[in-house]
Amino acid sequence: MDAKELLNDNDLHPEYRIALAYAHPDDRLAYHAMFELDRRLAEVVAGSSEPMIGQLRLAWWRDVLGKQPEDRPSGEPLVAALNAAWGAHSGGLEKLVDAWEGILLAETLDRNAALQFVQGRAASWSALAAGPLAKESSAGIPLAAQAWFLADLLSHLSDAGEREVVAGLANGTDLRSPRLHRRLRPLAILSALGSRALAAGGVPPMEGRGSALLALRVGIFGR
């Protein structure tokens, strides 16, 4: 099977499918593998009734990412995709595992836990720019990624207190989407959707007809 056929677009959330559609063809698998890893880690946390069990499953991914591609287990499509698109650079995604582990172990989602979670997930984008995108400029990535991940986190919270914590973080964040390099167009789309959702009070990023039009505009023009 060709490496590009290893992962299924339908497994991704709609926002990620839209963002992936605007990735450069040479970068598509690297993006897809990062998105899929994030989704898998989220499933580990959501499906773990005991933190220790979740930690063991997260540790497996941390161990995989820390190895050289030739030393990783075979037979797992996501591992094969990471090997093909990220290679040894996939070690930069360990911070993504750390971010999800932090949420798994947090007794309450306070300001510090939420901030570390968002920043940890945002670090995966910097790893993408430094690795698979061949040292593409990372200028603007932290700000753009935080806008998206704050919105994504807020849209998945139902507890009023936790929503207030994340909304407070968003209020202290510059929500203007920075201009990013063309190869980071998927992030530009997600950042714009996140900024829009946060400005609207934390609605789901794809809520309303305007979200699709915004994604289309940013996908074509960059902002």
Side-chain angles (χ1 to χ4, degrees), residues 72-76 79:
R72 294 169 183 165
S74 59
E76 161 59 67
V79 173

Side-chain angles (χ1 to χ4, degrees), residues 53-96:
I53 296 175
Q55 277 189 287
L56 289 173
R57 295 176 66 189
L58 293 175
W60 186 88
W61 279 109
R62 187 181 288 109
D63 182 62
V64 167
L65 295 171
K67 292 180 178 179
Q68 291 299 310
E70 61 270 19
D71 297 327
R72 294 169 183 165
S74 59
E76 161 59 67
L78 177 52
V79 173
L82 287 166
N83 288 345
W86 283 73
H89 294 295
S90 52
L93 292 172
E94 288 185 51
K95 291 183 179 179
L96 190 57

Side-chain angles (χ1 to χ4, degrees), residues 153-219:
L153 176 58
L154 189 57
S155 70
H156 286 88
L157 296 175
S158 57
D159 181 83
E162 293 180 339
R163 287 183 61 84
E164 184 177 353
V165 167
V166 177
L169 283 175
N171 289 336
T173 301
D174 186 350
L175 297 182
R176 294 173 298 175
S177 298
R179 180 171 288 280
L180 300 169
H181 189 276
R182 176 64 183 84
R183 292 179 71 188
L184 288 164
R185 189 61 51 84
L187 176 56
I189 292 170
L190 293 173
S191 180
L193 289 173
S195 295
R196 175 183 180 274
L198 291 171
V203 300
M206 286 302 295
E207 182 174 288
R209 181 170 176 269
S211 60
L213 294 176
L214 175 61
L216 176 63
R217 189 195 78 203
V218 176

Side-chain angles (χ1 to χ4, degrees), residues 113-128:
L115 184 60
Q116 289 187 355
F117 178 60
V118 168
Q119 291 178 340
R121 292 178 81 190
S124 61
W125 286 91
S126 296
L128 176 72

